[in-house]
Amino acid sequence: AAADLAYISSELEFSATKEGICHGFCFWFDCEFEEGVALSTAPASAPTHWKQATVMLPEMLAATPGARLDCKVNFQQSQDNERQYEITLEM
């Protein structure tokens, strides 16, 4: 139902695979419709008018192999444009 899309929240679990600095997170989506029709905005997929999103962290995070970078991501649908979401992260 459309009401189910007004607010989406999910706990995400990440582990660093190498040493480096984490500046933010990138998001994309895959959607499967009826009759085998699919839409993906993944970086390796064919371009569409839908795009990926990047959420920058307020401060960089140092990461070492195995370090946990878990977060909660929230998508709040815009009241002015139902195709637009405000994305927030909680670390």
Side-chain angles (χ1 to χ4, degrees):
D4 294 339
L5 300 175
Y7 180 79
I8 302 166
S9 182
S10 185
E11 301 278 341
L12 305 176
E13 298 177 351
F14 298 101
S15 292
T17 57
K18 61 183 181 178
E19 187 169 332
I21 302 294
C22 179
H23 295 272
F25 291 88
C26 297
F27 297 91
W28 59 85
F29 68 88
D30 297 316
C31 185
E32 293 185 23
F33 300 98
E34 294 179 3
E35 300 180 22
V37 176
L39 169 66
S40 177
T41 62
S45 295
T48 73
H49 72 279
W50 294 96
K51 305 293 182 196
Q52 299 92 22
T54 302
V55 178
M56 302 301 293
L57 298 174
E59 295 181 17
M60 297 178 290
L61 295 176
T64 55
R68 301 295 303 181
L69 301 171
D70 300 344
C71 66
K72 180 179 180 183
V73 63
N74 306 299
F75 295 84
Q76 178 67 55
Q77 193 174 44
S78 168
Q79 292 181 347
D80 297 329
N81 181 349
E82 65 184 14
R83 293 183 175 193
Q84 181 178 336
Y85 285 82
E86 179 178 344
I87 305 170
T88 57
L89 284 175
E90 299 173 32
M91 297 296 291

